[in-house]
Amino acid sequence: MKQHKYFGEIVTGYSIPVLNNREIRATAGIMFLAALISLVLILSVGNFVPVKYVLSIFALEFSIRLFINPKFAPLLIVGRFIVGTQNPEYVGAAQKKFAWYIGFVISTIMFFLLVVENAYSPITGFACLICLILMFFESAFGICLGCKLYGIIKKDKAQYCPGEICDIKQKHEIQKVSAKQWAVLAGLIIFFLVVSVAFKNNIEAKPHYLFQKK
């Protein structure tokens, strides 16, 4: 039987192999939540056990995506099940593959340091922060930062990017941020600063039980 030599799926109407960005985005959300919970447990009670399991799964996930087939990556299968009733949003497979290599390198390094060597350092902390940022942008905004880096490094223009961000176009009127809206955001920052100063002692102190008898 002839082996496929391309990465991604061949879909009628698309000139290059593609992937379903909806399931990728759903999977990024799952991974972000798992990583965030693991980080909270480390910072709050010093429990490193969950993050070691999470990193093991991440390293396996990216290995299967890149070196076997994304179809058989466990978390992508879960993502496919969750968004199975939504219409697919096809994106170019090449830029996703590049982004996944970034995830593979980071998760493999962290797996070696935290699981194999059983050691933490500023390196693991920084790598964890990068992972959280990448997954948050992917899941919350649908922005693949690794894909954008691919567009900068590669001479060939990336095709079929989420939200058509690879295409040069004028913003619609509804997409533009007006001066008044920028003023609202500035007002939010000022409000935050005022609250921080006015209620500094209350914010830093542990709250008391409202119905506690004095």
Side-chain angles (χ1 to χ4, degrees):
M1 183 176 179
K2 186 177 180 180
Q3 296 292 322
H4 297 299
K5 295 183 179 180
Y6 55 81
F7 181 86
E9 304 289 330
I10 299 298
V11 177
T12 303
Y14 292 84
S15 58
I16 61 172
V18 293
L19 295 166
N20 182 6
N21 193 58
R22 292 195 188 278
E23 62 188 48
I24 294 172
R25 189 172 175 179
T27 304
I30 296 170
M31 297 172 76
F32 173 78
L33 181 61
L36 182 62
I37 293 173
S38 300
L39 179 61
V40 170
L41 289 173
I42 291 172
L43 297 177
S44 59
V45 295
N47 186 357
F48 282 84
V49 174
V51 76
K52 292 178 181 179
Y53 283 110
V54 168
L55 287 174
S56 301
I57 294 172
F58 282 12
L60 175 65
E61 174 77 10
F62 284 116
S63 297
I64 295 174
R65 290 186 192 185
L66 293 170
F67 307 118
I68 300 178
N69 192 316
K71 283 183 177 182
F72 305 114
L75 296 182
L76 276 178
I77 295 173
V78 175
R80 174 173 293 195
F81 174 77
I82 292 173
V83 299
T85 58
Q86 300 179 13
N87 287 327
E89 179 189 8
Y90 294 115
V91 294
Q95 59 261 35
K96 284 296 180 183
K97 184 178 183 180
F98 178 85
W100 289 348
Y101 267 115
I102 297 175
F104 171 76
V105 170
I106 295 175
S107 61
T108 301
I109 291 174
M110 292 185 68
F111 173 80
F112 177 79
L113 293 175
L114 274 172
V115 180
V116 179
E117 291 294 324
N118 195 28
Y120 70 92
S121 68
I123 297 175
T124 54
F126 179 73
C128 182
L129 177 62
I130 295 299
C131 276
L132 285 172
I133 291 174
L134 293 173
M135 291 184 293
F136 177 75
F137 270 78
E138 179 84 60
S139 59
F141 308 125
I143 298 175
C144 175
L145 296 179
C147 299
K148 294 181 76 69
L149 182 61
Y150 172 89
I152 295 173
I153 296 176
K154 289 285 187 177
K155 293 182 180 180
D156 297 333
K157 180 183 175 183
Q159 300 181 58
Y160 307 121
C161 297
E164 300 177 356
I165 60 172
C166 299
D167 301 328
I168 300 175
K169 61 178 182 178
Q170 294 293 326
K171 286 186 177 181
H172 296 282
E173 193 62 34
I174 198 172
Q175 295 176 296
K176 297 178 181 178
V177 180
S178 67
K180 291 181 180 179
Q181 289 171 315
W182 282 116
V184 169
L185 293 179
L188 175 63
I189 296 173
I190 294 172
F191 173 79
F192 175 80
L193 294 174
V194 170
V195 170
S196 299
V197 173
F199 299 97
K200 183 176 184 296
N201 293 333
N202 284 2
I203 290 174
E204 294 178 353
K206 182 180 179 179
H208 65 274
Y209 181 57
L210 180 61
F211 301 108
Q212 182 179 4
K213 294 182 180 180
K214 296 183 179 180

